[in-house]
Amino acid sequence: MKVLHKRGLLAVGAATALAVTGIIVLPAVNASAASGCRVAYTVNQWPGGFTGNITITNLGDAVNGWTLGFAFPDAGQKVGQGWSATFSQSGTAVTARSLDYNGSLATGASTSIGFNGTWTAANPTPATFTLNGVTCTGGVTNSPTPSKSPSSSPSVSTSPSTPPQGGTPLAANGQLHVCGVNLCNQNNKAIQLRGMSTHGIQWFASCVTNASVAALADDWKADLLRIAMYVQEQGYETNPAGFTNQVNQYVDLAESKGMYAIIDFHTLTPGDPNYNLDRAKTFFASVAQRNANKKNVIYEIANEPNNVSWQGIKSYAEQVIPVIRAADPDAVVIVGTRGWSSLGVSDGTDENEIVANPVNAQNIMYTFHFYAASHLDNYRNVVSRAAGRLPLFVTEFGTVTYTGGGNVDLNSSTAWLDLLDSKKISYANWTYSDANESSAAFKPGTCSAGSWTNPNQLTTSGAFLRGRIRTADNF
């Protein structure tokens, strides 16, 4: 049974252990000096805020515990929530100290950390970094960050937004709709979309770039990008305008590569989506109006409802869907299901309660999530049966355990994907990121390095998924 989802674990860690603001007293670190280092620093910026991602490469002697130091060029730039290090700030000076799991850096080894911040001046890019007090002799690679006015949208690298023509998934299928229990294209043909989900865009913005999405479209031959916008966990509720703009930019980026985009209102904790009902109405009214004329948008209105009844989920859906339909009457809407979107299986029920009491709306699908090493034949049996009764969309799944970690279970993953293929159930894998967890498609540091098409940068999960996704579509 899925008791605590992996992103719950990540979010708890990020919120309680890694992220600090202001000045704090830190314990001494048992560290040796480093004679050199190289830093890659990338920034994604939006009005009043930014995400900084840092990859540190040790060019000197091995260290056991490290402290990274840098200074912002402007006093208005402040570190907020961070991950994979303990951050503190005094004036413009910022210190990031290693955690237990990433403190040892051999010569030539790398690790990645990051944070969300706020700014009152553009270009929050430090000029130099130090590792254990020694200036990085290997240099600093900074990503260009354009100057922004407060009215500007987030800085996301995209190509000119002219949708490509020809053989892309979007060009081949056009506006999608639900027909019976299937997802169908503009020619009423049942199709299956296959792609990847981002990690939380508040943490891994550097993994969603023009180059990375181009690799997903061209190298992976993917049809779909799911945009995971957390609501809590340092997400949407902290900056509604900024995250809404960021999501819209990613929709444009997917469109420019000929892919479909799922706008995922990523509710996780608390599990009752009605807690975010007003936020959902505000958010979906905005993105639906902005994207109403696009053919590549799919709306996922609640990621993983948990500790809530099906009636509670249904009530939420029947209040949010009309908000979307008022602006965008044609797009497919995906409704989360009970028990972390397990069709209720993780709560001891099944699809029967949905079949008996469906959401009162048209052109909708129902979500199913699984993690292959944890969810085996009893879950597959329910999906196999439910696929003939309900339109299903697997908006998220992993090749590992429900924690997001552990060994990749290739046998169970293969059995799952064979089932989804046979039923034409579309899917997005968790995650198209370099998170330090075995469910990630890329090894840590890949996003900062930009090594999107280097097969050596793929994890076991990433290599497996790339091989499955890039097989020919049947459109």
Side-chain angles (χ1 to χ4, degrees), residues 355-379:
V355 173
N357 188 22
V359 171
N360 184 22
Q362 301 300 311
N363 209 25
I364 66 168
M365 306 187 81
Y366 297 95
T367 306
F368 185 82
H369 290 180
F370 69 86
Y371 281 79
S374 297
H375 305 128
L376 305 174
D377 284 344
N378 57 325
Y379 285 81

Side-chain angles (χ1 to χ4, degrees), residues 215-227:
L216 184 61
D218 299 333
D219 181 54
W220 288 55
K221 309 296 183 186
D223 313 315
L224 177 69
L225 175 71
R226 180 189 189 231
I227 303 163

Side-chain angles (χ1 to χ4, degrees), residues 12 29 31 34-35 40 68 87 109 149 177 183 193 217 234 240 299 302 312 319 337 339 350 392 396 418 420 436 459:
V12 169
V29 176
S35 58
L68 185 76
F87 288 86
S149 68
H177 63 282
L183 181 65
L193 300 180
Q234 303 89 55
Y299 301 98
Q319 295 177 77
T337 61
D350 57 27
L392 301 181
E396 180 183 316
D418 287 349
L420 300 187
N436 189 27
T459 63

